[in-house]
Amino acid sequence: MQATIPAGLDRKEAEVYLRLDPNRLPKHIAIIMDGNGRWAKRRHLPRVAGHRAGVASVRSTVETAARVKIPSLTLYAFSEENWKKRPKSEVDFLMGLLCRYLKQEVPTLNKNNIRLEYIGRLHELPPVVQKKMEEARQATSTNTGMVLTLALNYSARSEIVDAFRSIVDAAARNGGLDHMEIDEESVSRHLYTRHLPDPDLVIRTSGEMRLSNFLLWQLAYAEIYVTPTLWPEFRGVHLLEGIAEYQKRERRYGGLADHDHHHASKARS
Ligand code: FPP
């Protein structure tokens, strides 16, 4: 049977899509968008030109993910470290880019039934930016399709610290520390990502083999796909190639492979 190609895919995307098993798509994909600076440098442009070009990649990736019905996509837009260690001019530029993106993209997000969320220490962002973020979130809050989560001023270690604080606070409010329950379930429920399943696949662009303090708890069993493509050159077709690679991998979660399992239970019987 010929698989149906989702509406809106271009020819190259359709070609890769036909190699995918639509029943085994990842439920949550997380992306570390890296290489904007290198892309700009190669063109003898200022770093910020790379960030500007990166917005087109965000647009393409988000639309393709929604079209093939990925339930959740999370993008590492900037880390706590980026925000604290980069020159103010670059940070200001990124904030401006984000505000413009939010303003321009809301109609497209609505058209594609995408709900916008954020993770990170959002209260540390400039109040004007927070206001625009909240408006965009509200404007897309009733959409029922893909959840697009932007990680802004995000650090996984800070997130875990905040989760512990929130567990202790909740216990103090609900009958005292004797009633505090800590297990994997409760930690997950206090992370910023409580609205999401753990990612099945994490993609990093521009070749670096690091997690860079991104979703450390949530990525425990994720497949890692690193592509040399720089973020400003990444498009929907590259996302689909990442999914194709993911589908070739065998996921075991610490158990045995299916065929080994079969042998093991046969040996026991
Ligand atoms: C990494 O490249 C990228 C960033 C720190 C910023 C990512 C931002 C965007 C793609 C655009 C704005 C985002 C949204 C959601 C509208 P780098 O500068 O670390 O690259 P390098 O490692 O080559 O220097």
Side-chain angles (χ1 to χ4, degrees):
M1 195 187 85
Q2 179 75 27
T4 38
I5 298 168
L9 296 195
D10 65 27
R11 190 180 52 77
K12 279 189 179 158
E13 288 175 324
E15 229 169 77
V16 183
Y17 185 83
L18 286 173
R19 304 205 312 261
L20 300 179
D21 175 354
N23 298 316
R24 286 195 305 120
L25 293 175
K27 294 194 170 45
H28 181 188
I29 302 176
I31 305 184
I32 303 172
M33 308 184 286
D34 194 17
N36 293 350
R38 270 161 284 176
W39 180 90
K41 196 166 175 215
R42 281 184 199 170
R43 283 169 176 68
H44 307 286
L45 294 169
R47 292 179 53 77
V48 295
H51 299 321
R52 193 186 293 122
V55 177
S57 309
V58 170
R59 220 172 260 139
S60 168
T61 306
V62 167
E63 284 209 35
T64 300
R67 283 174 178 148
V68 304
K69 304 231 170 321
I70 300 299
S72 351
L73 178 71
T74 298
L75 303 178
Y76 203 1
F78 31 96
S79 65
E80 226 177 276
E81 290 79 10
N82 284 160
W83 157 255
K84 282 170 184 152
K85 291 183 191 157
R86 295 200 181 191
K88 185 172 180 304
S89 58
E90 185 174 338
V91 172
D92 287 349
F93 185 90
L94 282 167
M95 291 296 145
L97 214 53
L98 172 67
C99 289
R100 219 169 322 136
Y101 173 83
L102 294 175
K103 194 169 167 200
Q104 283 171 358
E105 257 5 69
V106 164
T108 317
L109 296 177
N110 283 333
K111 197 178 89 210
N112 290 300
N113 197 21
I114 299 170
R115 182 160 69 86
L116 191 57
E117 285 288 349
Y118 310 100
I119 55 172
R121 285 190 170 161
L122 308 177
H123 59 277
E124 292 176 0
L125 293 168
V128 281
V129 177
Q130 287 184 51
K131 186 163 169 279
K132 298 225 161 90
M133 286 164 55
E134 185 50 25
E135 283 165 7
R137 204 177 63 79
Q138 289 285 349
T140 63
S141 66
T142 56
N143 292 337
T144 55
M146 186 173 85
V147 181
L148 170 63
T149 303
L150 301 181
L152 299 163
N153 192 32
Y154 176 86
S155 141
R157 288 187 173 180
S158 296
E159 177 184 35
I160 292 169
V161 169
D162 288 350
F164 291 159
R165 287 180 179 159
S166 148
I167 289 173
V168 173
D169 283 354
R173 274 183 278 113
N174 298 312
L177 296 188
D178 295 346
H179 299 271
M180 184 163 62
E181 241 182 77
I182 301 192
D183 51 24
E184 292 193 9
E185 224 356 75
S186 64
V187 173
S188 294
R189 265 188 290 110
H190 286 85
L191 293 171
Y192 307 147
T193 50
R194 58 182 81 85
H195 62 292
L196 294 169
D198 287 345
D200 308 291
L201 169 64
V202 57
I203 296 175
R204 182 168 187 145
T205 59
S206 90
E208 232 81 63
M209 303 282 183
R210 282 193 292 276
L211 288 179
S212 298
N213 206 4
F214 188 44
L215 302 175
L216 296 181
W217 174 279
Q218 300 89 332
L219 292 176
Y221 292 105
E223 291 297 330
I224 304 176
Y225 175 73
V226 176
T227 166
T229 306
L230 304 175
W231 181 252
E233 280 160 1
F234 194 91
R235 289 293 179 273
V237 68
H238 301 104
L239 178 82
L240 298 178
E241 281 165 4
I243 298 172
E245 172 64 28
Y246 160 84
Q247 291 192 339
K248 284 191 207 147
R249 312 255 183 100
E250 179 181 40
R251 303 186 73 202
R252 291 186 294 167
Y253 303 95
L256 297 174
D258 260 359
H259 56 277
D260 289 343
H261 210 265
H262 186 65
H263 288 307
S265 48
K266 249 187 156 169
R268 273 199 304 273
S269 64

